[in-house]
Amino acid sequence: MRGLHADTGYLLYRLGLRSGQLFNTFLQESGLRLRHYAVLRFLAGSEGSLQRELSARLGYDPSAIVGLVDDLEKLGFAERRPSPDDRRSRIVVLTETGRAFLRDTDEAGQRVTNDLLGPLDPAERTALHALLLRVADRP
């Protein structure tokens, strides 16, 4: 039987857990969790998104997205607006307050990433990132 550390899937799982713990600790003061942060980061790279698109792109259950967006709206970080393409639909957009929050947390987020990837040199970090993108972008 193979040891756990010989199993790449297990190592990725452990890395994900550690990453989530570090990010949740860093976000704890704001009252947000990593899932909220992921929504904010996704919205920062878009002009807005339908909730079902957020669900599909982030891999979260649609009912979870509703609660996450509700939380972000209460904080003033995101808002729902009528969709220009379908007045029955609403898009979620990042507010200026949400953008400011992300700017304010950039340095702390980078410290979390640096802590997580501390054993790797810059070239290894770049290679790891490129490899993870290749795997993550598969349909």
Side-chain angles (χ1 to χ4, degrees):
M1 187 165 115
R2 295 184 322 170
L4 281 177
H5 288 109
D7 186 326
T8 302
Y10 175 75
L11 292 174
L12 287 170
Y13 167 75
R14 286 291 307 265
L15 184 61
L17 283 179
R18 180 74 179 131
S19 175
Q21 290 167 345
L22 288 171
F23 268 95
N24 281 328
T25 298
F26 134 69
L27 291 168
Q28 193 170 23
E29 235 177 74
S30 68
L32 298 181
R33 309 270 305 155
L34 181 55
R35 291 177 148 227
H36 295 99
Y37 188 75
V39 171
L40 290 173
R41 280 283 167 213
F42 180 84
L43 292 174
S46 72
E47 296 295 318
S49 175
L50 296 170
Q51 287 184 171
R52 67 178 166 265
E53 180 186 11
L54 283 171
S55 174
R57 296 294 298 273
L58 296 173
Y60 298 161
D61 186 83
S63 62
I65 290 292
V66 171
L68 292 170
V69 173
D70 287 347
D71 294 343
L72 294 172
E73 272 194 314
K74 286 177 192 161
L75 292 167
F77 292 169
E79 65 184 22
R80 292 175 174 99
R81 295 182 182 163
S83 170
D85 301 327
D86 179 357
R87 59 189 159 126
R88 295 170 296 162
S89 296
R90 306 197 38 92
I91 59 170
V92 182
V93 296
L94 190 63
T95 64
E96 190 49 46
T97 303
R99 286 187 196 289
F101 173 80
L102 287 175
R103 278 192 303 273
D104 292 346
T105 60
D106 277 345
E107 187 177 315
Q110 191 58 51
R111 281 196 309 269
V112 168
T113 299
N114 287 339
D115 183 35
L116 187 67
L117 301 179
L120 304 179
D121 67 38
E124 290 171 324
R125 290 178 187 206
T126 299
L128 176 63
H129 187 83
L131 292 168
L132 290 172
L133 277 175
R134 273 183 37 206
V135 173
D137 284 345
R138 276 186 65 204

